[in-house]
Amino acid sequence: MVSVRIAAPLAMLFLSGCVMGPEHTPPQTALPAKFNEGGGTSAGDVSTVKWWTAFNDPRLDKLVNQGIEQNLDILQSLERIEQARATVITAGAGSLPQLTTSASQSLSKTNGGYNSTPQTSESSGTLSASWLLDLWGEYRRSKQAAKAQLDEAYDNVDTARLTFLNTLVTAYINARYYQQRVAIANEAVKSRRETLELTKLQLEAGAASRLDVAQAEGLVNSTLADIPGLEASFYSNAYQISTLLGLPASTLIADLKKGAPQPVARRTAITGVPADLVRNRPDVRAAERELAAAVYDIGVAKAKLLPSITLSGSISPSYTHRNDRSGTANTWSFGPSLTLPIFDGGTLRANVKSAESVAREKYLAWKQAVLNGVEDVEKALAAYNRDARAVAANRAYVKSYEEALQLSTASYKDGASSLLDVLDAQRNWTTAKASLAEAIQTMASDYVTLNVAVGGGYAFNGSVDSVLLRTPQAQVPGVPTNKVAAAK
């Protein structure tokens, strides 16, 4: 028969290998083999694809490269990685041996009358150790949950970078669109002023009325009235771009006012298949890591239902010295302590049920994130696949009314048509050009939306670990900087 002295430690070692609660396995959900308007080939890893370079705009490329390193939302998410790393350490620290020490030194003496005593010097110290045996894996599960949350923090950085790309490129597209609208309005003002001057000449010659002049003046002024709003919209988007780069709002105005053509993508987007989204979309990965943390938290809650054993001990040497004598005294203690939850009003079991419910909720949230991603891609594909037709139709629209304007103007000069025909043609021509500019803006924006929906481009300048190593930390008075280690 195995002696108790041998059996007890073996039992303790066996129990210390136990963990409560379920193990996390990657979740599954049914997905179609392909997008409704997409191909059936996987896109692979699209996180490094620089899709915005399809616009062939060096200024935009420069803004992206600059902003990805200094966007404040991204930098904040990087700091949350360091916070999550610290949480991993604290989550598992409770299962490790704890060692503390203390020391004291005192001098005492009583003077006066019959109560005088010799001077006494006392020195003492204490060394205490304790170890909570993680019999049921409470701290191991807690550390697993913390590691899952650390992974989520990494994924949240990727989400912040993807959001930055979406917001920056869209703001740039909008800024160029409003610049184009201002140019169209200025061109329309020039054309309408020419018509106004012609009408004034015809009034002097008796071939036009004062009403004709008033109508021509009104059309000039109505166009002039549109320009301030368009300019304000340009400034708004330009200011947003500066802020996205972590700069004061007006920093980039001079550079952006130089102007450039409206961005037009020169190549098609890589869409892949719905299953790619589980890997490529950082928000989906973050939702899966949230689920993993919730599953491990079930084990933490279940472990609290069971007894816990703590081994503790202390050694306290002391030394006392008086004028007439001195001596030492040493005390020590060691032993286990058992904590057994007996009655808590159902709190611990309710905590288990709550943790299980949270895990089910997180699974549903993950599934919703996947389905939302599929919807995002389907909608973006449906829009982008039709944008080219809209742009082509608007180009034909502009060409038709440009010809109509030329014919009506020539006819008006010859006296064969009325001023109203010219003014209508000018309105239609201006409207057609504005409609074309809007169609080009929509096509560029839909291209951005589609690439963001498939999770493309956020890691074009390296992984989060490499970014952590080269990103300077914020200088906070009284707070030391601490470069985050690259390893997860």
Side-chain angles (χ1 to χ4, degrees):
M1 178 179 292
V2 181
S3 68
V4 175
R5 288 186 177 182
I6 298 176
L10 290 176
M12 302 271 295
L13 288 173
F14 172 75
L15 290 174
S16 65
C18 295
V19 286
M20 302 298 293
E23 294 291 341
H24 172 69
T25 55
Q28 302 286 331
T29 188
L31 291 173
K34 60 186 289 293
F35 294 112
N36 185 46
E37 298 187 21
T41 304
S42 172
D45 183 7
V46 298
S47 65
T48 59
V49 176
K50 299 181 180 181
W51 48 263
W52 55 92
T53 59
F55 294 120
N56 291 335
D57 191 325
R59 187 178 284 109
L60 174 60
D61 297 343
K62 180 181 178 181
L63 292 173
V64 171
N65 291 331
Q66 182 180 355
I68 201 74
E69 299 284 354
Q70 58 195 49
N71 176 259
L72 297 180
D73 287 333
I74 296 175
L75 294 178
Q76 290 176 65
S77 63
L78 289 172
E79 287 296 336
R80 285 190 282 273
I81 287 181
E82 185 164 359
Q83 298 163 27
R85 288 179 60 84
T87 302
V88 172
I89 297 174
T90 59
S95 64
L96 300 176
Q98 309 293 313
L99 184 65
T100 59
T101 185
S102 62
S104 64
Q105 170 71 35
S106 66
L107 293 173
S108 63
K109 179 177 176 61
T110 302
N111 295 320
Y114 296 101
N115 295 322
S116 297
T117 61
Q119 179 173 300
T120 303
S121 172
E122 294 186 1
S123 302
S124 63
T126 301
L127 180 66
S128 301
S130 64
W131 184 15
L132 175 62
L133 300 179
D134 193 17
L135 302 178
W136 317 111
E138 175 184 350
Y139 289 99
R140 273 166 287 172
R141 286 300 194 207
S142 181
K143 190 169 184 178
Q144 285 176 312
K147 286 182 176 179
Q149 291 169 340
L150 173 60
D151 292 338
E152 181 189 352
Y154 274 81
D155 293 330
N156 287 339
V157 173
D158 291 337
T159 300
R161 297 169 81 181
L162 191 60
T163 301
F164 162 76
L165 291 174
N166 182 24
T167 308
L168 175 71
V169 180
T170 300
Y172 186 84
I173 290 170
N174 292 339
R176 295 309 182 201
Y177 162 71
Y178 285 112
Q179 280 184 317
Q180 180 66 15
R181 287 293 307 276
V182 170
I184 292 171
N186 286 328
E187 188 177 2
V189 167
K190 180 181 178 181
S191 174
R192 290 169 184 178
R193 278 177 171 162
E194 290 174 354
T195 302
L196 174 60
E197 293 302 320
L198 176 61
T199 305
K200 287 180 178 180
L201 291 174
Q202 291 188 336
L203 175 63
E204 294 175 359
S209 66
R210 179 59 193 167
L211 176 60
D212 292 334
V213 174
Q215 287 177 326
E217 286 178 340
L219 194 56
V220 170
N221 290 328
S222 68
T223 308
L224 288 172
D226 292 336
I227 294 177
L230 297 172
E231 290 177 339
S233 296
F234 162 74
Y235 276 95
S236 177
N237 284 278
Y239 292 151
Q240 183 182 17
I241 292 172
S242 294
T243 303
L244 288 169
L245 269 62
L247 302 170
S250 60
T251 304
L252 300 174
I253 284 293
D255 184 53
L256 292 173
K257 284 178 69 175
K258 294 176 182 178
Q262 283 189 265
V264 176
R266 306 299 179 183
R267 60 176 182 265
T268 58
I270 303 172
T271 57
V273 296
D276 292 335
L277 301 181
V278 176
R279 175 185 63 251
N280 291 333
R281 290 263 302 216
D283 59 326
V284 174
R285 297 201 311 268
E288 188 275 334
R289 291 290 80 198
E290 278 193 65
L291 169 60
V295 169
Y296 293 133
D297 282 339
I298 297 174
V300 175
K302 285 187 173 182
K304 292 182 182 295
L305 294 170
L306 302 172
S308 62
I309 298 176
T310 302
L311 302 178
S312 59
S314 64
I315 300 175
S316 301
S318 63
Y319 174 75
T320 303
H321 175 72
R322 299 177 62 179
N323 291 345
D324 53 345
R325 64 182 184 274
S326 63
T328 61
N330 298 310
T331 59
W332 64 271
S333 65
F334 176 79
S337 62
L338 174 68
T339 302
L340 177 64
I342 297 176
F343 180 75
D344 61 1
T347 299
L348 296 179
R349 293 190 180 279
N351 288 341
V352 173
K353 291 183 178 180
S354 176
E356 291 172 342
S357 177
V358 169
R360 291 192 295 269
E361 177 195 354
K362 296 302 181 183
Y363 168 73
L364 296 174
W366 171 82
K367 186 174 181 180
Q368 184 176 29
V370 174
L371 295 180
N372 286 344
V374 174
E375 180 188 359
D376 290 343
V377 177
E378 294 282 23
K379 288 162 63 176
L381 268 172
Y384 184 68
N385 287 343
R386 289 157 179 79
D387 287 334
R389 285 157 41 194
V391 170
N394 275 281
R395 291 191 190 280
Y397 179 25
V398 171
K399 185 176 180 181
S400 297
Y401 278 104
E402 188 173 14
E403 183 180 1
L405 176 59
Q406 292 172 352
L407 293 174
S408 62
T409 302
S411 180
Y412 178 60
K413 290 179 179 179
D414 295 338
S417 62
S418 67
L419 175 64
L420 184 60
D421 294 331
V422 177
L423 298 183
D424 284 342
Q426 286 179 334
R427 288 193 195 95
N428 291 331
W429 176 72
T430 302
T431 301
K433 295 202 72 173
S435 181
L436 174 59
E438 184 175 357
I440 293 173
Q441 176 207 27
T442 300
M443 183 168 66
S445 296
D446 288 342
Y447 180 80
V448 173
T449 301
L450 179 56
N451 280 280
V452 170
V454 300
Y458 57 83
F460 77 94
N461 66 332
S463 65
V464 176
D465 288 331
S466 63
V467 173
L468 281 168
L469 291 174
R470 66 174 182 264
T471 301
Q473 291 186 318
Q475 299 295 317
V476 182
V479 178
T481 58
N482 179 29
K483 181 56 65 179
V484 181
K488 290 188 181 181

